[in-house]
């Protein structure tokens, strides 16, 4: 690999790493938002899972994915994994609110 | 739910939706970067999978996740799913480069 190709490769790898960093920061903010939403639901005596809202989110993120050139199955996999983490956190707080 | 609580909930849901949009856009850019990296590897006759680099990426994204308040297992799940999509795309291009 010549020096120019090596430089181009390093620049691309750096961009990928910066994107991963941004995605993790965005996910951190997302969890802080959903923790607040879950806390409001608990205070209002509402169910943990709002199935119609989640179906709407799934449909919405799949549309966003397609527009961004991302496979919609990948968007669904990521959303499901993110929602599972948030639901597990909420479940623990509902079971042991003062732990 | 009173009007102020309803407004707060809607604001949080909007923020979550905007975050999902940003994550999808970032993933779209990420795939364009990794498509270029894969094309360079194919042109240079290099292997599709660079295992030491992927191990480094996994370790790096898990550190970023912890710093951002995101479970490191979730970061690993997302990275694996993203790498799988990129690897499958590269595999198809290696098998049928002119399709």
């Amino acid at each position: 690999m010549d020096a120019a190709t090596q430089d181009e490769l390093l620049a691309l790898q750096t961009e990928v790493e910066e994107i991963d960093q941004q995605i993790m920061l965005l996910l951190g903010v997302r969890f802080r938002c959903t923790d607040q939403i879950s806390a409001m639901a608990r205070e209002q005596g509402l169910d943990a899972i709002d199935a119609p809202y989640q179906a709407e989110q799934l449909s919405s993120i799949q549309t966003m994915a397609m527009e961004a050139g991302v496979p919609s199955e990948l968007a669904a996999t990521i959303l499901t994994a993110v929602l599972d983490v948030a639901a597990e956190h909420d479940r623990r707080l509902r079971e042991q609110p003062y732990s």
Side-chain angles (χ1 to χ4, degrees), chain A residues 48-68:
Chain A
I49 307 291
D50 181 343
Y53 173 59
Q54 289 195 353
E56 202 180 290
Q57 276 188 304
L58 179 62
S59 163
S60 166
I61 204 169
Q62 288 185 307
T63 303
M64 294 170 185
M66 283 184 290
E67 286 169 1

Side-chain angles (χ1 to χ4, degrees), chain A residues 19-80:
Chain A
I19 287 171
D20 287 348
Q21 171 86 67
Q22 289 176 59
I23 292 174
M24 290 304 116
L25 292 172
L26 284 165
L27 280 177
V29 178
R30 193 189 198 283
F31 281 121
R32 287 189 284 284
C33 289
T34 54
D35 281 351
Q36 285 185 64
I37 292 172
S38 297
M40 290 168 74
R42 290 193 300 274
E43 283 159 17
Q44 302 280 331
L46 300 174
D47 286 345
I49 307 291
D50 181 343
Y53 173 59
Q54 289 195 353
E56 202 180 290
Q57 276 188 304
L58 179 62
S59 163
S60 166
I61 204 169
Q62 288 185 307
T63 303
M64 294 170 185
M66 283 184 290
E67 286 169 1
V70 172
S72 61
E73 304 77 27
L74 176 65
T77 299
I78 292 173
L79 181 64
T80 303

